[in-house]
Amino acid sequence: MKISIYDVKDEPVGYGGMGRVYQGIDPRGNTVAIKEMRAEFVTDAHMRARFHKEAVTLAQLEHPSIVKMHSSFEERGCLYLVMEYVEGETVEQCVKRKGIIDESEAVRLLSDVLSALDYAHANGLVHRDIKPGNIMIRPDRSACLLDFGIVKDLNDGSLTTARLVIGTDGYMSPEQAEGYHVDRRSDIYSLGCVLFYMLTGRHAIPRQKSDYDTRQAVIQNALPKAKDFNPCVSDALQAVLDRAMNRNMLMRFQSCREFGMELRSGATAVTGRSGNAVISIGREECDIVIIHSSVSRHHADMEAVRCPDGIIYRFMDRSTNGTTIDGEKIHLAMKEIPVLQNAQRRPSILLAGTAGLEWTEIEAAFGKKSGGGGEAPPPPPPPPSVSGKDATGWLVAIYTFAVLGGVVGIILGTHVYRSKITLPDGRKVYRYRESHRTAAQAGALLSCLSFITWQLIRIL
């Protein structure tokens, strides 16, 4: 059939919450995905606004692990989005077809999605519908995030309804299930549930008889341990799962970058069963830290793949300014760098086109990750010694003043408060007026406190 200028297959290739997806061919012969809004939503102004919101959102995002947006249009009363056609299968389809996903493979796929979400969050967007059916696995085994139909713009509250529950049952966060405010930590919870599904083939919170019962299960039910269903899950990865899926959003990872760093730091996540080590490169909190204003916080990742002739380094740029490798610039893309055994020359790598990345640093970082130790960095230089002038005399004077001040204050305050005189008739009365006696008592108490404080300082 024909939709606008596209030749489209008759049967949909997928379904979403707001519509169905067709495979089409554009006039240039390129394969595209065409998302058609469901007929019952076309007349709903609120749903139309969300459909347009997805088009606007995808148009402003450019990341290798986020589906690309081509165009949007309306024809014969129907709304359409034209997007990149992502070949492969969803995580859900993969698990149903093959069973659970190997831990190292799951970690690698999740790292791609974390990078995509980190990019979306940096642009003020929260996905709100992370689930196995919205993550595609391409033929090259990279992951791609789909369906931004209910994305939330943290800088725009125009499409947000108070106490409105939006998302996929079983994968929404507890705060999302209760209709409370959500932020990037809700996506982190949902992604933890996806990782649980990849490792066990089970939903952390199975769907109940009704939407209400499912939301109550999300809010109240205890979360299972992945190791209970798959004993091969490493302790390090189980700890990462426990934190990502914590009901208390303050106890979860506070960013996808933090989540990714913990994921890569686990023993199995670092080397995997294939023996491939992965290092991170960036301006802060990375395996290789490059202090440069043009370098992104998490600029790139490198994976070392051993082969008979040497090593192939897979360089994945995740930055805003790109990377230049031997004169070729890449941006949000992957490039393989083969390094043969006994090679005299290594390709030059310039982060953001200016900051050089040394191969000695790369090899040392991989050495540490693979357990080889690598070359240890030189110890930090000792702090310079400072021989200042002696202040013993001043210290004696200060402490003497503090002690005498406290003691004299106590004596004088007590004298004013308790001093009496004897009248001619033999009666004794207080010498000073009541208000002055009260002030003197307060002064004596303050002197006591200062003296006690001085003693505590000496002890501590």
Side-chain angles (χ1 to χ4, degrees):
M1 65 178 178
K2 195 84 169 177
I3 297 178
S4 183
I5 60 174
Y6 303 95
D7 294 318
V8 180
K9 291 186 176 181
D10 293 335
E11 294 298 322
V13 295
Y15 295 87
M18 291 192 297
R20 49 193 174 185
V21 181
Y22 293 93
Q23 180 180 345
I25 304 294
D26 69 10
R28 297 181 179 179
N30 299 316
T31 303
V32 295
I34 302 174
K35 184 173 183 179
E36 179 187 61
M37 189 174 192
R38 289 164 57 181
E40 58 265 36
F41 291 152
V42 171
T43 57
D44 187 325
H46 186 71
M47 297 306 292
R48 287 175 67 94
R50 290 196 177 279
F51 201 79
H52 284 300
K53 182 68 175 177
E54 181 176 12
V56 173
T57 298
L58 287 176
Q60 70 187 51
L61 297 178
E62 184 181 350
H63 190 279
S65 295
I66 295 178
V67 62
K68 292 180 176 63
M69 169 75 178
H70 294 322
S71 63
S72 62
F73 62 91
E74 183 172 354
E75 182 176 274
R76 295 192 297 274
C78 290
L79 297 175
Y80 297 93
L81 296 181
V82 182
M83 300 172 290
E84 166 195 7
Y85 182 77
V86 182
E87 295 183 356
E89 60 185 350
T90 66
V91 168
E92 185 175 25
Q93 292 169 336
C94 178
V95 171
K96 287 182 177 179
R97 180 176 62 85
K98 296 174 55 178
I100 62 175
I101 298 176
D102 180 83
E103 181 171 322
S104 60
E105 175 79 355
V107 168
R108 191 182 56 76
L109 291 171
L110 202 74
S111 296
D112 287 347
V113 182
L114 280 167
S115 175
L117 277 178
D118 188 46
Y119 174 77
H121 293 166
N123 283 273
L125 303 172
V126 180
H127 191 283
R128 295 200 293 184
D129 198 17
I130 303 294
K131 58 182 179 180
N134 279 343
I135 299 172
M136 288 289 292
I137 304 175
R138 296 186 177 105
D140 65 357
R141 308 307 294 171
S142 63
C144 182
L145 185 58
L146 310 176
D147 202 348
F148 280 71
I150 61 171
V151 68
K152 176 180 179 181
D153 189 341
L154 296 177
N155 301 315
D156 178 13
S158 59
L159 293 181
T160 301
T161 303
R163 305 292 295 179
L164 180 64
V165 178
I166 298 174
T168 298
D169 290 337
Y171 285 85
M172 64 173 65
S173 64
E175 62 270 17
Q176 197 170 350
E178 293 189 82
Y180 292 139
H181 171 79
V182 299
D183 59 20
R184 60 191 180 188
R185 292 169 291 187
S186 292
D187 283 348
I188 288 172
Y189 175 93
S190 301
L191 198 54
C193 293
V194 171
L195 179 58
F196 181 95
Y197 178 77
M198 289 194 287
L199 296 171
T200 65
R202 298 169 178 264
H203 304 295
I205 302 292
R207 187 176 180 83
Q208 307 296 312
K209 294 181 180 179
S210 68
D211 290 345
Y212 174 80
D213 289 339
T214 305
R215 289 195 294 272
Q216 289 303 303
V218 170
I219 297 168
Q220 298 175 0
N221 288 7
L223 289 168
K225 298 283 189 180
K227 288 179 70 70
D228 293 342
F229 302 103
N230 181 2
C232 294
V233 174
S234 66
D235 292 337
L237 195 56
Q238 182 62 64
V240 171
L241 270 172
D242 292 342
R243 186 173 176 190
M245 298 169 62
N246 197 301
R247 294 187 184 280
N248 185 347
M249 62 195 306
L250 296 176
M251 301 301 293
R252 290 176 213 150
F253 299 109
Q254 299 301 293
S255 69
C256 288
R257 189 161 58 92
E258 183 185 9
F259 191 172
M261 289 182 64
E262 284 293 318
L263 200 61
R264 290 189 293 270
S265 69
T268 306
V270 170
T271 60
R273 296 181 185 176
S274 63
N276 297 341
V278 178
I279 62 171
S280 57
I281 304 161
R283 195 174 64 241
E284 56 185 56
E285 298 182 8
C286 292
D287 297 310
I288 298 179
V289 177
I290 306 293
I291 306 298
H292 194 286
S293 59
S294 298
V295 175
S296 300
R297 290 181 303 173
H298 182 187
H299 196 96
D301 289 325
M302 285 187 76
E303 179 183 13
V305 182
R306 295 191 178 275
C307 59
D309 296 330
I311 300 177
I312 295 176
Y313 293 96
R314 291 174 179 163
F315 189 99
M316 172 60 75
D317 181 86
R318 305 183 184 280
S319 67
T320 56
N321 296 324
T323 303
T324 303
I325 302 177
D326 261 359
E328 178 187 350
K329 183 175 181 180
I330 63 170
H331 181 222
L332 300 176
M334 190 268 286
K335 180 176 176 61
E336 291 191 346
I337 308 173
V339 177
L340 301 180
Q341 292 179 357
N342 303 319
Q344 298 298 317
R345 182 184 176 277
R346 300 286 194 272
S348 65
I349 301 176
L350 296 177
L351 307 182
T354 56
L357 181 60
E358 298 295 334
W359 278 95
T360 53
E361 293 181 299
I362 295 173
E363 290 165 355
F366 275 117
K368 292 177 184 177
K369 279 296 181 74
S370 60
E375 294 184 7
S385 59
V386 178
S387 57
K389 294 182 179 180
D390 188 84
T392 303
W394 283 109
L395 289 175
V396 170
I398 292 169
Y399 276 85
T400 302
F401 181 81
V403 173
L404 291 180
V407 173
V408 171
I410 294 171
I411 294 173
L412 294 180
T414 303
H415 170 75
V416 172
Y417 179 75
R418 299 178 58 86
S419 181
K420 293 182 179 181
I421 59 174
T422 302
L423 297 177
D425 58 0
R427 287 184 299 115
K428 292 186 176 181
V429 296
Y430 286 109
R431 179 187 296 273
Y432 303 105
R433 64 181 67 173
E434 185 67 21
S435 60
H436 290 181
R437 292 178 59 249
T438 302
Q441 185 182 32
L445 289 174
L446 286 174
S447 297
C448 287
L449 288 176
S450 67
F451 190 83
I452 293 171
T453 302
W454 172 72
Q455 289 293 330
L456 288 175
I457 291 174
R458 289 186 60 194
I459 294 173
L460 297 176

